[in-house]
Amino acid sequence: EAQVTQNPRYLITVTGKKLTVTCSQNMNHEYMSWYRQDPGLGLRQIYYSMNVEVTDKGDVPEGYKVSRKEKRNFPLILESPSPNQTSLYFCASTKGAGSGYTFGSGTRLTVV
Amino acid sequence: QKEVEQNSGPLSVPEGAIASLNCTYSDRVSQSFFWYRQYSGKSPELIMSIYSNGDKEDGRFTAQLNKASQYVSLLIRDSQPSDSATYLCAVNLNDMRFGAGTRLTVKP
């Protein structure tokens, strides 16, 4: 089954404790992206990647890191999480700029 | 001005009616336009894409695009309670930009 897999689905952590949210797609897509979704603000792009080793900042990159060492994987790293990063996170992938995204199931992160 | 704007709603229609969802975008160079449906607590799901001016129909859904007016809409005919969700408009130039979404409720 073609899909984007995110883990974990739910995560509660404490301020300052580094964490990684994994994302993997099995569709051989070139493009991958991370979004966060907050009430009233919609989906905001954190980082995106157009190919292996090519990443770029989205609208809200502060406090986040990404890497794209393999085409299928695009992990999101929070080096020192803060409470304002409490949000619902989505990873998504697409075969090209003119195609729609396939989204992962989401990761609900709470930073206390 | 936001890049992609939608009426936040909520929009409520009776079962069997036509639901009309609207979206405007600011970048004239945008070429690809999408509608996603998001049920509460779930991830967005692509339901329509449109690239040329005019209408595109898929079952009960019709997407309409007017590039001169920078306007894209989604019509849902014979609305069903299962259509109750938030609908996200998205525009793709170099990366995908989303509107804040319109919450639709279809009342039985």
Side-chain angles (χ1 to χ4, degrees):
Chain A
E1 181 188 354
Q3 60 185 1
V4 177
T5 303
Q6 280 180 244
N7 280 298
R9 289 291 308 276
Y10 301 92
L11 179 59
I12 301 174
T13 191
V14 296
T15 299
K17 185 177 181 181
K18 181 180 178 179
L19 66 92
T20 299
V21 184
T22 62
C23 175
S24 180
Q25 50 92 6
N26 62 1
M27 296 166 281
N28 201 36
H29 283 171
E30 300 284 340
Y31 288 72
M32 298 186 74
S33 190
W34 275 102
Y35 291 88
R36 61 178 288 174
Q37 188 173 39
D38 302 288
L41 297 177
L43 282 164
R44 293 181 293 167
Q45 192 175 52
I46 303 170
Y47 270 95
Y48 63 98
S49 170
M50 290 184 283
N51 211 329
V52 176
E53 301 292 0
V54 179
T55 63
D56 210 345
K57 296 177 180 179
D59 295 322
V60 289
E62 295 78 20
Y64 304 95
K65 284 177 58 177
V66 294
S67 67
R68 187 91 182 275
K69 293 183 170 56
E70 308 165 276
K71 184 182 271 192
R72 63 183 291 126
N73 295 324
F74 192 42
L76 179 69
I77 303 158
L78 285 71
E79 295 270 3
S80 183
S82 62
N84 64 12
Q85 293 179 297
T86 292
S87 187
L88 178 58
Y89 291 86
F90 289 106
C91 180
S93 73
T94 180
K95 63 182 179 182
S99 303
Y101 271 111
T102 299
F103 281 82
S105 299
T107 297
R108 187 167 291 280
L109 172 65
T110 302
V111 184
V112 297
Chain B
Q1 181 188 4
K2 292 183 180 178
E3 291 175 295
V4 182
E5 294 206 54
Q6 297 180 248
N7 291 332
S8 60
L11 174 66
S12 181
V13 301
E15 183 175 356
I18 296 175
S20 178
L21 303 161
N22 303 314
C23 174
T24 58
Y25 60 95
S26 60
D27 195 327
R28 289 189 169 274
V29 187
S30 298
Q31 296 295 324
S32 308
F33 307 87
F34 307 90
W35 284 99
Y36 291 79
R37 177 177 61 201
Q38 186 177 22
Y39 292 113
S40 181
K42 301 295 185 182
S43 57
E45 172 194 11
L46 179 66
I47 56 172
M48 289 288 284
S49 58
I50 187 166
Y51 306 98
S52 304
N53 279 331
D55 295 358
K56 179 181 178 182
E57 188 174 315
D58 184 0
R60 295 186 296 110
F61 298 97
T62 299
Q64 299 174 316
L65 175 61
N66 184 327
K67 290 186 178 181
S69 300
Q70 296 175 244
Y71 178 90
V72 58
S73 66
L74 180 70
L75 300 178
I76 307 174
R77 291 183 301 281
D78 188 24
S79 295
Q80 301 297 308
S82 59
D83 295 325
S84 298
T86 296
Y87 289 81
L88 304 172
C89 173
V91 174
N92 200 344
L93 182 55
N94 293 317
D95 56 318
M96 192 79 72
R97 299 295 177 141
F98 288 84
T102 298
R103 184 149 47 129
L104 171 67
T105 301
V106 181
K107 295 188 174 181

